[in-house]
Every structure is written in C-alpha cells, then in structure tokens.
Amino acid sequence: MALDTIKSNASHLYKGRELKKAIDWSEEEWAHWGWHQRHRIRNLEQLAQWIDVTEDEEEAFIKTDPVFHMGITPYYASLIDPYDENCPIRLQAVPKMPELDISNWDLDDPLGEESDMVVPGLTHRYPDRVLFYTNHNCAMYCRFCTRKRKVSDPTSMTNKRAYQEIYDYLAEHPEVNDVVISGGDPLSLADKRLADIFEEFSKIPHIKYCRLGSRNLVTLPQRVTDDFAHLLKTYQSRHLSIFFNTHYNHPKECTEEAWDACDRVALSGTPMNNQMVLMKGVNDSVETVSELNRKLLQMRVRPYYIYQCDLAEGVSHFRTSVKTGIEIVRGLRGYMSGMAVPQFVVDAPGGGGKVPVNPNYIVDLDGDSIVLRNFQGKIYRYPETELGFDQITPEVMLPES
Ligand SMILES: *Cc1c(COP(=O)(O)O)cnc(C)c1O
Ligand code: SF4
C-alpha cells in the first residue's frame, strides 16, 4: 500500500476521535525498523490511530493486557483493514474477547517443551536436533502464539550463563547436528548477538545446520537489513548451513516490503521455509492457502509445514477441525506446484512431537497390487513387486472404472 493511503487511513480515524496527536512519519523513518519498534502500538489510544476499535476489542484489550501484552508494529498495523473487525490481519494482532475462553482441553505447556528441556532454554526431543530459545520478546505479539505465557514477559529472558550452558550441552552431544533458533523472536536480538550465536555453532564441528525461526519477515521486514543479510552470508559455510524459517499466514502479508526483505535473505544464499498456522477466519480455506503459497514461492519461500492450532490457552477460538487441514492439503496437491504443497502436522499434546497427517490416497494395500486414488479421484493400480511380476497379470491391474 502507498504510504499516502496508509497515512490518510490513520489520520481519518484520528479525526473521528479526540486523540492527543495523530501519528506521522517520514519515508526514511518508515523504512527503518527502529522507528517501528519505538512506535509499537501498546495501548488503546495508539490502536485507535490505526483502526476503528470495536467495543469488544476495547474490553478484550483491558482484560488480556495483564496476561499477554498487545504489541503491533506500525508496518503490520498498516496491513489491517481499519473498518473490518474480521480482517485476517487484525485477528492475528488485535485482542478479541474469545481469547479469554479456556477449553478443558487447553494445556499449560501444550507441546511439552518444558518437560523435554535438558538445560534452561534448550529442548531436546528428537534424536538429532534441538530447539534453542534465545530470548522471549518479539517485534509483534501474535494473538495465536503457543508460547503466550513466556513471550512478552521480560523476566523470562535467557541470560548469558544460560547461553554458555546451552553451548556446553551442544558440544557434549555429538548426535545433535541441527539447531532450531527460536524464541520469542531471535531477530529481536542485535546483529552482534546473533553473530555470537553463529560463531559458537561454527566452533562445534557436529553442528551442520541451523534454522533461524523468525516472524520479522512478516511483521517487521525492515529489520531484515542489508547488514543482517551480510551477517547470514558471512556465517554460511561448508560446515554450517543456515536456513531461515518464517511464519506467513495470509496472502495480505506478502507485500512489496516483505518481498524486498526475502530478496535480501535469498541473495545471502539462505533458503527460506514457511510454517503456517491453520486458523479459523484467517486461512482456513483452500483458496486462501493456495494464494498464499503461490505468492511465497514467488518470494522464494518454500511452504514447509501447516500446523494444526495447538492446545494453548487463549487460542481456542482459532482452532479448526483437523479435517479442515486435511481437506486444504487435498485441495493443493496436484492442483499447484508440488513445491507449494506443505506437510500438514499435528503437534501431539504433551510432547509427542509433530505427527504428519495426510489425505488418504491409498484405496487398498492388501492384494497383489496397491490401489491408488489420484488427486482427481481416479483409481489406479500398481503391482506390489515383492510378489514378483510373473505372479501378477496386467489384467488384474487395469483400473476398476
Ligand atoms: C518442531 C521441532 C523441531 C524441528 O522439527 P522438524 O520436523 O525437523 O522441523 C525440533 N525440536 C522441537 C522440540 C520441535 O518442536
Ligand atoms: S513472533 Fe512467534 S513467539 Fe513471538 S508472539 Fe508471534 S508466534 Fe509468538
């Protein structure tokens, strides 16, 4: 969207209310992430400079702020439709009353991340890879966040000593070759701190890959500067391959600014993957996900996972049925580039890990041949070679219809 349009939306809303001051900025300020960080929307007055706040949202802000702060970058706020309370961008950023509904399925630690924590800030669940929580703040606080209890809480920061314990653990565990750097959002750290992390990983020979998990490509693409891209390029080596895993949930998030930021990451030689969370009212349709994934491929971001919404407290209103996710994947496979078809997973409650859930393309597996259904629903047979081809006659293999 052009800056002028964003500004006129913002000031139009300002005129309708008695606010002290409308928000204003220069083009240079808008292009600088520090400005967005300093002007994050933290209260109702600031929110009203951007959108027509409803009564439900006002009440929700008052009730949820003590538990999970609101924090929206002006950039992300500019993507919200100011007059549509069901805007998919708005649902991800602005508190809503249903966040206060707790279902009896909701868990304190839905993914068992704490129970699999080997040292503070490090979860080791899978044989060869670990999850490292570098910090607990983010450019924007997403209303669907699984780690709501931790993020936005300044007292839960991972400190320097904890970092050292984590590096020691990694050095002592040669089976670990992949580190997921997560948070909060690691891009809330200064470039220097990120460089230190890559430096430490480079010193541990068995660490071959790491992935930076950050939503800044979506909520604050200005943070992904040339300097940051240069840092990625510096630490990419034959010994350590760095990937960037991000979190686009809706095609409206694929803006020019986001595309520019992805270009910088791609040009540094860093592959990008996307982990989308399936959410009611945001992206629970084949049309929305296909449009998103086509745009992501153009931006050179490979759709990697679709997550079923976790059983975290305060996100139950986003939950769809698991069947919805299966039907979405069925609607993608075969109809669009296979590169745009992600794996749908359910993170099993209590630390079971990610379980792939797929549409069923196998009709029968018991006989001499396997019976398959293709994406259009047509039936095909393929011989089970273990029996030996001489035992199967092509006639038995003809399609049934
Ligand atoms: C998701 C996750 C990983 C990474 O899993 P991949 O399937 O390799 O992407 C590693 N550790 C934990 C605890 C995770 O939740
Ligand atoms: S950026 Fe990630 S960790 Fe931070 S609030 Fe959003 S979903 Fe949660």
Side-chain angles (χ1 to χ4, degrees):
M1 211 185 327
L3 274 189
D4 287 348
T5 323
I6 301 170
K7 275 193 189 182
S8 88
N9 270 343
S11 65
H12 174 82
L13 285 155
Y14 160 69
K15 282 187 194 113
R17 282 156 192 271
E18 299 206 0
L19 294 168
K20 286 187 199 81
K21 158 162 130 13
I23 184 163
D24 197 13
W25 58 82
S26 69
E27 211 159 306
E28 290 72 42
E29 284 173 322
W30 187 263
H32 195 271
W33 61 271
W35 182 85
H36 290 268
Q37 199 96 47
R38 281 192 299 280
H39 290 83
R40 282 206 303 177
I41 297 151
R42 306 302 301 258
N43 58 43
L44 283 174
E45 192 176 73
Q46 291 166 330
L47 186 61
Q49 291 174 322
W50 294 92
I51 64 170
D52 197 10
V53 185
T54 65
E55 270 176 35
D56 174 278
E57 289 166 338
E58 271 190 48
E59 191 183 350
F61 168 79
I62 294 162
K63 295 199 167 139
T64 58
D65 199 51
V67 198
F68 185 59
H69 292 312
M70 176 171 73
I72 312 171
T73 56
Y75 163 78
Y76 201 73
S78 76
L79 309 183
I80 298 178
D81 180 333
Y83 305 108
D84 175 10
E85 60 179 308
N86 296 318
C87 160
I89 304 300
R90 187 159 172 162
L91 296 177
Q92 295 182 61
V94 177
K96 298 278 182 182
M97 283 307 279
E99 276 181 47
L100 297 159
D101 301 342
I102 309 283
S103 96
N104 49 15
W105 273 91
D106 293 349
L107 301 166
D108 231 20
D109 177 19
L111 306 181
E113 287 173 335
E114 319 245 310
S115 50
D116 281 345
M117 213 167 255
V118 283
V119 290
L122 194 75
T123 299
H124 189 176
R125 167 173 311 143
Y126 297 104
D128 68 340
R129 52 207 188 280
V130 292
L131 188 54
F132 171 13
Y133 311 94
T134 52
N135 61 294
H136 286 128
N137 32 6
C138 310
M140 185 182 96
Y141 296 122
C142 314
R143 305 318 297 183
F144 58 84
C145 183
T146 294
R147 304 210 184 102
K148 272 189 178 181
R149 290 167 317 123
K150 288 279 175 193
V151 303
S152 97
D153 171 8
T155 63
S156 68
M157 290 282 281
T158 313
N159 61 31
K160 232 190 173 130
R161 211 185 47 191
Y163 272 47
Q164 193 51 54
E165 264 187 71
I166 288 170
Y167 299 140
D168 292 345
Y169 180 92
L170 294 176
E172 286 157 16
H173 287 262
E175 73 276 20
V176 175
N177 55 36
D178 178 9
V179 185
V180 182
I181 309 172
S182 180
D185 196 312
L187 279 189
S188 291
L189 301 174
D191 285 356
K192 174 74 184 71
R193 306 259 326 264
L194 293 168
D196 290 344
I197 294 172
F198 293 135
E199 186 70 43
E200 292 291 338
F201 289 177
S202 307
K203 285 195 268 182
I204 306 176
H206 53 267
I207 299 202
K208 306 284 189 216
Y209 336 93
C210 67
R211 343 173 191 177
L212 197 56
S214 168
R215 211 177 176 221
N216 273 248
L217 272 180
V218 186
T219 55
L220 184 57
Q222 294 85 349
R223 169 67 184 85
V224 180
T225 57
D226 286 329
D227 283 350
F228 169 75
H230 182 74
L231 185 155
L232 289 177
K233 194 168 181 173
T234 307
Y235 284 97
Q236 290 283 10
S237 75
R238 283 287 166 94
H239 305 290
L240 182 70
S241 300
I242 305 174
F243 293 75
F244 196 121
N245 277 13
T246 192
H247 211 9
Y248 287 95
N249 287 325
H250 193 275
K252 268 181 90 176
E253 295 167 338
C254 303
T255 62
E256 284 297 316
E257 281 113 319
W259 197 327
D260 288 343
C262 289
D263 272 343
R264 292 191 283 273
V265 175
L267 291 171
S268 77
T270 307
M272 289 168 282
N273 292 296
N274 192 60
Q275 309 189 167
M276 186 197 100
V277 177
L278 179 60
M279 282 180 280
K280 198 183 280 175
V282 175
N283 53 20
D284 55 341
S285 75
V286 174
E287 295 70 36
T288 307
V289 180
S290 341
E291 190 189 341
L292 170 66
N293 289 2
R294 281 180 210 277
K295 286 192 170 166
L296 289 177
L297 268 198
Q298 282 188 279
M299 290 157 60
R300 289 182 274 181
V301 180
R302 165 87 155 85
Y304 175 48
Y305 278 145
I306 294 182
Y307 285 104
Q308 171 69 8
C309 204
D310 291 324
L311 297 173
E313 282 181 9
V315 303
S316 57
H317 59 298
F318 283 126
R319 245 170 252 152
T320 62
S321 65
V322 174
K323 193 167 167 232
T324 306
I326 296 174
E327 290 313 314
I328 288 175
V329 176
R330 195 197 299 283
L332 304 181
R333 174 64 67 197
Y335 294 97
M336 63 196 311
S337 167
M339 293 192 294
V341 184
Q343 174 65 55
F344 177 46
V345 290
V346 179
D347 225 321
K354 298 174 185 72
V355 180
V357 182
N358 294 309
N360 191 8
Y361 295 105
I362 300 173
V363 181
D364 186 12
L365 193 54
D366 286 339
D368 301 346
S369 56
I370 177 168
V371 183
L372 301 168
R373 182 185 287 118
N374 83 345
F375 73 105
Q376 293 154 316
K378 292 189 190 147
I379 304 293
Y380 297 86
R381 278 176 186 274
Y382 186 90
E384 277 293 73
T385 52
E386 267 162 36
L387 290 170
F389 280 105
D390 48 349
Q391 294 178 38
I392 312 169
T393 52
E395 289 89 86
V396 248
M397 285 178 49
L398 287 177
E400 279 172 353
S401 53

